[in-house]
Amino acid sequence: MSSSQAHRASTPTTSPLPLQLRPSHLRPKCQASERLFLWRGVNIPPQVTIKNTTIEHLAAVASRASLRDTNSYGSGLRKFHIFCDIFSIPEKERLPASFALLHSFALWAASDPEIPELNLPPTSIPFEPVAPPVARKYLAAIRAWHITQGWPPPLDDSQLERINWSLRGLENLNTHRRHPPRPPITIAMLTALKNTLSLDDPFDACIWAMAACAFFGMMRFGEVSVLSRARFNPSQHLTRGNAIFDQDLRGCPYARLDLPAAKTAKPGESQSVFLNEQGSLCPLAALRNMAKVTPAAASDPLFSWRDPAGTPRPMVKARAIARINSILTAWGWGTHFGHSFRIGGASFYLSQKVDPEVVRIAGRWKSLAYQLYIRAFEQIASQHLANTVPTPKAATEGVGRCHAPKVFGDVSMDSEAE
């Protein structure tokens, strides 16, 4: 069967398994953060400095230092070469890449073949769709790869606008398939989580410390976890040495977590998360309990546990989310993924009438985005807007009292006051 016949033989679908990159000596196995520097092309780039060993060395060091998060760039570069493998793009056309190639890559990366409006003809081409904003990040990765390898940026402004035009169209088609925003974790959920976990168990003690810190510190879940055990890197992830306990000017205890790398930090800039005592859900107590149950060295992962053999392990994001979701599901709340802790903490503080500017600073937002306000306000609207119309007491006796929706295993509202 010819290639064209094979393409006509099946309906386009999303690949059920992760797409794999074909082996190549041009793309040696390495950390994702190193792909920009170690993955090469077959073409020789133009000279970008004079031929002097010192100057060339300075250019290489400066190139590395100008990039902050090369891990995410590595993912985009990998996806680009998978696309090139699928469509049999020769190596000489990959670097430098043409506008037509990059436009095609963006269309493929952001297209979900299961969207009826695309009306794709039958094809055996595999798809592994991502959201259009992610596809734009992929293009940024390819641009960084070109510059790192000594080539000019592959797209000018007009070409980038043309690609964005296509991505906006795919985004519009995909609007009806978007999932609703993840609901924020609440104090009731946090209480149920603590009451269910076994805090003398190393794994559960770590889960509770992660949850309490992510909520009250308004942290991204990726800041308290790692993608895999092998991916832990002290220069990018929190260690025990990054947690400092102290007292403020009022003599009140607090903990400071110094993030070695943060999403919104500039190159070489560190950010800190400040945690305070919070009653029975106190993140400081959670950190101390984890340190007691799982002793570790200053260079070990902050959020870590010990397996039965006594080996310290960083908490992997997928395992943490699975444990948390199993508890929330058992209590009748369904699943709430990592980012919900960050929004949940902001919602809680705003509901307690904490100044929004303080929430912005503590949560390390450059600004409290409109979407954040809306999601947080949904949780506290009745506190500000309910019962604003005066009515005779007799006419409202037993009517209009607000009750939280009841679900199986729901924590009583009394727990929210703890």
Side-chain angles (χ1 to χ4, degrees), residues 9 39 83 121 195 265 289 332 383:
W39 286 11
F83 163 81
N195 290 342
N289 178 71
Q383 176 178 321

Side-chain angles (χ1 to χ4, degrees), residues 24-25 58 63 90-91 140 154-155 172 191 199 222 246 255 321 348-349:
S24 171
H25 70 281
L58 290 174
S63 179
E91 293 289 347
L155 299 171
N172 292 338
T191 301
L199 299 188
D246 205 344
I321 288 177
F348 169 72
Y349 286 128

Side-chain angles (χ1 to χ4, degrees), residues 12 16 105 116 123 129 153 164 184 189 200 213 218 225 271 283-284 326 374 388 394 397 411 415 417:
F105 167 63
T123 177
N164 278 326
M189 293 174 181
D200 57 352
C213 291
M218 293 176 286
S225 61
Q271 291 185 353
L284 277 66
S326 68
I374 294 301
T388 55
E397 192 68 37
V411 176
S415 65

Side-chain angles (χ1 to χ4, degrees), residues 46-262:
Q47 194 74 22
V48 295
T49 64
I50 61 175
K51 291 186 177 182
N52 178 276
T53 304
T54 300
I55 297 299
E56 290 172 344
H57 171 76
L58 290 174
V61 172
S63 179
R64 280 181 173 266
S66 68
L67 297 170
R68 178 171 55 86
D69 184 11
T70 54
N71 272 317
S72 59
Y73 282 164
S75 300
L77 190 55
R78 177 180 180 275
K79 184 61 75 72
F80 171 68
H81 284 291
I82 287 175
F83 163 81
C84 290
D85 288 344
I86 291 172
F87 288 88
S88 301
I89 305 300
E91 293 289 347
K92 64 180 181 180
E93 295 182 15
R94 302 185 187 191
L95 183 68
S98 66
F99 162 69
L101 178 60
L102 295 180
H103 189 193
S104 302
F105 167 63
L107 287 168
W108 172 80
S111 292
D112 187 341
E114 297 179 9
I115 296 178
E117 290 82 357
L118 285 179
N119 195 27
L120 280 175
T123 177
S124 61
I125 294 173
F127 286 83
E128 194 175 59
V130 297
V134 177
R136 292 186 180 97
K137 292 182 179 179
Y138 287 173
L139 292 174
I142 298 169
R143 178 182 186 275
W145 184 48
H146 276 67
I147 296 173
T148 301
Q149 294 299 318
W151 294 95
L155 299 171
D156 61 31
D157 289 345
S158 63
Q159 292 171 333
L160 191 58
E161 178 55 35
R162 179 63 183 87
I163 293 177
N164 278 326
W165 178 275
S166 295
L167 291 177
R168 279 194 296 271
L170 294 174
E171 206 162 16
N172 292 338
L173 291 175
N174 200 33
T175 299
H176 70 286
R177 296 174 60 88
R178 289 177 183 168
H179 297 291
R182 298 164 184 167
I185 294 290
T186 65
I187 289 292
M189 293 174 181
L190 208 61
T191 301
L193 192 61
K194 182 187 178 185
N195 290 342
T196 305
L197 293 166
S198 300
L199 299 188
D200 57 352
D201 174 80
F203 189 86
D204 278 6
C206 184
I207 294 290
W208 171 238
M210 294 171 68
C213 291
F215 183 89
F216 290 109
M218 293 176 286
M219 301 176 70
R220 299 173 180 86
F221 211 71
E223 294 172 338
V224 297
S225 61
V226 297
L227 293 177
S228 69
R229 181 183 179 187
R231 295 282 290 274
F232 172 73
N233 185 341
S235 67
Q236 297 179 345
H237 301 108
L238 285 165
T239 65
R240 293 289 173 98
N242 293 134
I244 295 93
F245 288 79
D246 205 344
Q247 292 186 347
D248 63 17
L249 295 177
R250 299 170 56 195
C252 297
Y254 72 91
R256 189 184 81 234
L257 308 183
D258 293 330
L259 299 170

